[in-house]
Amino acid sequence: GNANTDTFNFTAALSGNVTGGDGTNDYNLDVGGSVGGDITGGTGADTFDFNGGTVLGNVDGQLGTDTLDYATVTGPITVTLTGPGLSDGFTGTATSITGTFDDINDLVGSGNAADNLTGTNAGQAWTITSGDDGNVGGLTFTDFANLTTGTGADSVNFGGGGSISGLITDTGGID
């Protein structure tokens, strides 16, 4: 990639790593598409669209507002936040990524009733802003029907119009 807008379409298996440029990068992982190594974004806004494809290594958004997007997947999907990202955002694990992700700021679920987002074990404030949407610790999430708090002291706040269609599960801590 370069400093301009780059689009990477993966429709077959690629063995190796992919590195985007410092512009806006869009990585489309379609059915049958896979990256055998890591995908590393740049300093711009990067979107990792999982349309049925996989990453066998790690995904690193680097700097910028970076998104894992599962909107076109039937689901269910699972995302677990494990801590702060190295540069910004969060690190964690997610459906269709064999390794881990790092520096992710936004998550888009599939809209499946079994989609689940699990927070870190550090105490966090969750804010539900609309139907299955909200934010936690600076990360924005969309279309996650189920939320699981970490073991730290968490709070869940509902803004006007905020609702969760599934469950909110507390895994411990003083909430």
Side-chain angles (χ1 to χ4, degrees):
N2 58 39
N4 297 317
T5 299
D6 297 313
T7 300
F8 300 87
N9 296 309
F10 303 100
T11 57
L14 171 74
S15 62
N17 298 320
V18 176
T19 301
D22 288 334
T24 299
N25 300 300
D26 192 13
Y27 304 90
N28 298 303
L29 292 127
D30 295 326
V31 173
S34 66
V35 174
D38 300 335
I39 299 179
T40 304
T43 59
D46 302 310
T47 300
F48 304 91
D49 293 304
F50 288 91
N51 308 313
T54 59
V55 176
L56 301 178
N58 303 305
V59 170
D60 187 347
Q62 300 275 312
L63 293 171
T65 301
D66 305 309
T67 304
L68 293 182
D69 188 340
Y70 295 89
T72 61
V73 176
T74 304
I77 62 140
T78 300
V79 176
T80 301
L81 305 176
T82 56
L86 183 61
S87 299
D88 64 4
F90 280 86
T91 187
T93 59
T95 298
S96 301
I97 303 172
T98 302
T100 62
F101 66 79
D102 192 14
D103 301 320
I104 297 298
N105 312 88
D106 298 322
L107 298 171
V108 179
S110 71
N112 185 291
D115 283 0
N116 189 74
L117 171 59
T118 299
T120 69
N121 285 328
Q124 295 177 309
W126 297 70
T127 302
I128 313 307
T129 56
S130 61
D132 294 341
D133 303 341
N135 59 69
V136 57
L139 177 128
T140 301
F141 60 88
T142 305
D143 290 333
F144 279 87
N146 301 284
L147 306 175
T148 303
T149 64
T151 57
D154 298 291
S155 64
V156 179
N157 305 296
F158 289 85
S163 65
I164 292 295
S165 61
L167 300 173
I168 298 175
T169 304
D170 178 28
T171 60
I174 300 171
D175 300 308

